[in-house]
Amino acid sequence: MKKNVDFFVYGATILCPSCVNMPSSKDTEEWLRAAIGRKFPDQLFSVTYIDIYSPPEDDIHLNMAHQIIEEDLFYPVVVVDNEILTEGQPRLKKVYRYMEDNGYTPVSRKKENVI
C-alpha cells in the first residue's frame, strides 16, 4: 500500500560555510520536486522548504530546525517521517529508493535506438 510521502527540505537563505558553490536550499527544494516528479509522474508527494531560522510554529519543525542548528548539520537537510534522509546535497538514489520502498512506481526511461 502506497502512503503519501512528504519531504521537508530544511535550510537557510545564507549558504552554510561548507556549501560554497552548491545550490541554495530553496533551489534544492525546487530541483528535488522536479526530479521526483519526473521519476514518479502522476503520483502524489510533496516537497516543502523550511527555513531553519524561521520555521513554522509547530513542535516538529521547531525541534528539527533546532537540531540542525545545534548539531551544525550541512544543509539542505531532507527530512521525511521526522527522520533525516540526507544532509548536504541530496542523493537522488536514496530519495528514489525511499519512494519505491513506500509503494511508488518509477517510470523507466527507455533509450531509443537512433539510426
Side-chain angles (χ1 to χ4, degrees):
M1 174 182 253
K2 179 169 52 171
K3 72 171 201 163
N4 191 31
V5 174
D6 300 311
F7 293 98
F8 294 94
V9 178
Y10 289 82
T13 55
I14 300 170
L15 293 178
C16 70
S18 300
C19 302
V20 176
N21 297 325
M22 289 181 54
S24 71
S25 297
K26 183 67 177 155
D27 289 341
T28 299
E29 174 250 344
E30 293 167 359
W31 168 79
L32 189 59
R33 180 182 298 112
I36 294 170
R38 282 190 303 273
K39 186 75 170 181
F40 302 93
D42 303 320
Q43 299 174 65
L44 294 178
F45 67 93
S46 68
V47 181
T48 305
Y49 173 74
I50 305 290
D51 189 304
I52 60 175
Y53 295 108
S54 58
E57 292 292 325
D58 66 65
D59 288 342
I60 292 173
H61 295 303
L62 287 171
N63 289 337
M64 184 57 67
H66 180 73
Q67 177 184 348
I68 292 167
I69 293 167
E70 288 298 310
E71 294 179 14
D72 206 21
L73 299 179
F74 296 111
Y75 45 86
V77 176
V78 177
V79 174
V80 64
D81 290 333
N82 300 319
E83 297 290 326
I84 295 173
L85 183 64
T86 67
E87 175 187 352
Q89 184 65 25
R91 300 287 177 236
L92 286 178
K93 277 188 176 184
K94 193 168 191 176
V95 171
Y96 292 164
R97 186 172 345 116
Y98 186 89
M99 297 287 287
E100 290 179 42
D101 289 348
N102 283 281
Y104 284 73
T105 305
V107 169
S108 62
R109 300 213 181 249
K110 295 180 182 181
K111 294 183 180 180
E112 296 181 25
N113 292 335
V114 178
I115 300 177

